């Protein structure tokens, strides 16, 4: 299986032949948005919410796009062997031929997509998922975190900080309120209730976050979307993070302090099971 075919502006080509102009605004200004969409055995997991969020990001930046993305992305995955892959999709405002901050509304966007192999996180059940350590650090991002924009420097810096502290994720806090991870959303469990920061311009509306809440609702698990403090995090029975390629991951320590009893929690196990069933239905077409 190869993951070497990429999509660029209408063509499926070898990665080494894909070239973007140095005057592309994605390169010069980070004037671009993106999505990361998992495919298992060639089947997209949550394509619709990803495309809906992309539409939101594009509308916020006023970038017009006419590409038939479901067709393009399925074709790209098929050309890369149709296995377990995440598709990275980036849309920039395009190539203006010179460097100037203002732009012409008639510009043609640049559309790029490539694949990366991913692990089937459902293959080994809940025991195959490792709990992680996280750190908490200041959220230094702009105030439009609902846009999945490529200006990821604050995220990169905190993720690197986490790695250097021996942690797998950095959770961010702004004005005393927990926001999200450098590349994930945050959940805590306290006394059987699931809590997650509410949607708004301070966090990304994660597609996995949406699925967690949908599955919780269907399963009768009580949940609340609300502000969470650092103390709430430390006093939680369980802490999880969520993202497309990782689903839900149990957090076993925060800033070196053990969460709950230091084991993967029962509600996390229940949610992982609900995700596995959802995944199974998707793969088999069974209701
Ligand atoms: N929050 C941030 C900052 C992210 O970068 C991501 C994913 O990359 C998420 C949340 C989770 O979003 P999703 O569940 O759609 O992958």
């Amino acid at each position: 299986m190869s993951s070497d075919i990429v999509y660029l502006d209408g063509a499926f080509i070898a990665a080494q032949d894909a070239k973007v102009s140095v005057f592309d605004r994605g390169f010069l200004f980070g004037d671009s948005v993106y999505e990361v969409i998992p495919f298992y055995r060639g089947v997209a997991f949550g394509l619709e919410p990803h495309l809906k969020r992309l539409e939101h990001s594009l509308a916020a930046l006023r970038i017009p796009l006419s590409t038939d993305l479901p067709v393009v992305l399925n074709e790209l995955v098929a050309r890369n062997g149709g296995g377990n892959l995440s598709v990275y999709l980036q849309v920039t405002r395009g190539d203006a031929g010179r460097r100037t901050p203002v732009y012409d509304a008639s510009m043609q966007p640049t559309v790029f997509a490539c694949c990366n192999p991913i692990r089937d996180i459902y293959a080994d059940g809940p025991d195959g998922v490792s709990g992680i350590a996280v750190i908490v650090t200041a959220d230094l991002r702009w105030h439009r975190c609902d846009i999945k924009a490529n200006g990821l420097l604050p995220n990169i810096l905190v993720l690197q900080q986490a790695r250097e502290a021996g942690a797998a994720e950095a959770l961010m806090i702004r004005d005393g309120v927990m926001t999200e991870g450098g590349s994930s959303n945050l959940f805590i469990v306290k006394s059987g209730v699931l809590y997650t920061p509410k949607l708004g311009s301070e966090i990304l509306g994660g597609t996995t976050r949406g699925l967690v809440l949908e599955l919780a609702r269907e399963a009768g698990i009580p949940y609340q979307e609300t502000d969470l403090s650092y103390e709430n995090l430390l006093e939680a029975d369980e802490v999880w993070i969520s993202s497309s390629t990782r689903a839900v991951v149990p957090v076993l320590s925060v800033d070196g302090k053990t969460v709950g009893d230091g084991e993967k929690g029962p509600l996390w196990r229940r949610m992982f099971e609900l995700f596995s069933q959802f995944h199974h239905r998707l793969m088999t077409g069974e209701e």
Side-chain angles (χ1 to χ4, degrees), residues 6-9 18 20 88-92 110-114:
V6 303
Y7 173 85
L8 182 62
D9 294 337
V20 176
Y88 173 79
L89 168 67
Q90 182 174 355
V91 182
T92 85
T110 300
V111 183
F112 168 69
C114 63

Side-chain angles (χ1 to χ4, degrees), residues 40-41 43-45 276-287:
Y40 295 102
R41 280 180 269 144
V43 179
F45 188 96
S276 299
Q277 288 165 1
F278 182 88
H279 176 249
H280 180 77
R281 287 197 296 276
L282 185 76
M283 300 314 294
T284 57
E286 286 168 19
E287 279 307 307

Side-chain angles (χ1 to χ4, degrees), residues 80-190:
N80 281 288
N84 300 326
L85 297 168
S86 71
V87 170
Y88 173 79
L89 168 67
Q90 182 174 355
V91 182
T92 85
R93 196 179 302 280
D95 170 16
R98 66 199 175 105
R99 187 188 182 279
T100 170
V102 290
Y103 61 86
D104 186 345
S106 64
M107 285 187 64
Q108 277 301 310
T110 300
V111 183
F112 168 69
C114 63
C115 296
N116 278 304
I118 52 169
R119 199 173 78 81
D120 180 352
I121 41 182
Y122 303 103
D124 302 322
D127 293 336
V129 178
S130 302
I132 61 166
V134 303
I135 58 164
V136 176
T137 188
D139 193 338
L140 300 176
R141 300 173 301 163
W142 71 335
H143 290 277
R144 287 305 307 271
C145 298
D146 56 307
I147 302 171
K148 199 161 168 64
N150 281 99
L152 289 172
L153 206 42
N155 308 58
I156 288 170
L157 293 179
V158 297
L159 289 168
Q160 188 64 24
Q161 191 186 335
R163 171 191 273 213
E164 288 169 12
E169 178 59 290
L171 299 176
M172 295 177 281
I173 187 163
R174 194 193 308 258
D175 299 329
V177 178
M178 297 301 306
T179 53
E180 61 184 332
S183 62
S184 61
N185 288 111
L186 166 66
F187 290 86
I188 71 165
V189 177
K190 186 71 185 172

Side-chain angles (χ1 to χ4, degrees), residues 53 141 148 180-185 204 206-208 242-244:
R53 184 173 62 194
R141 300 173 301 163
K148 199 161 168 64
E180 61 184 332
S183 62
S184 61
N185 288 111
L204 184 72
T207 58
T208 320
S242 70
S243 80
S244 294

Side-chain angles (χ1 to χ4, degrees), residues 245-276:
T245 51
R246 291 171 293 183
V248 276
V249 179
V251 173
L252 304 186
S253 76
V254 173
D255 285 339
K257 298 174 193 81
T258 304
V259 174
D261 60 6
E263 301 290 334
K264 297 176 211 171
L267 203 58
W268 173 79
R269 285 185 180 274
R270 176 95 180 96
M271 186 52 68
F272 185 84
E273 182 63 27
L274 293 170
F275 264 71
S276 299

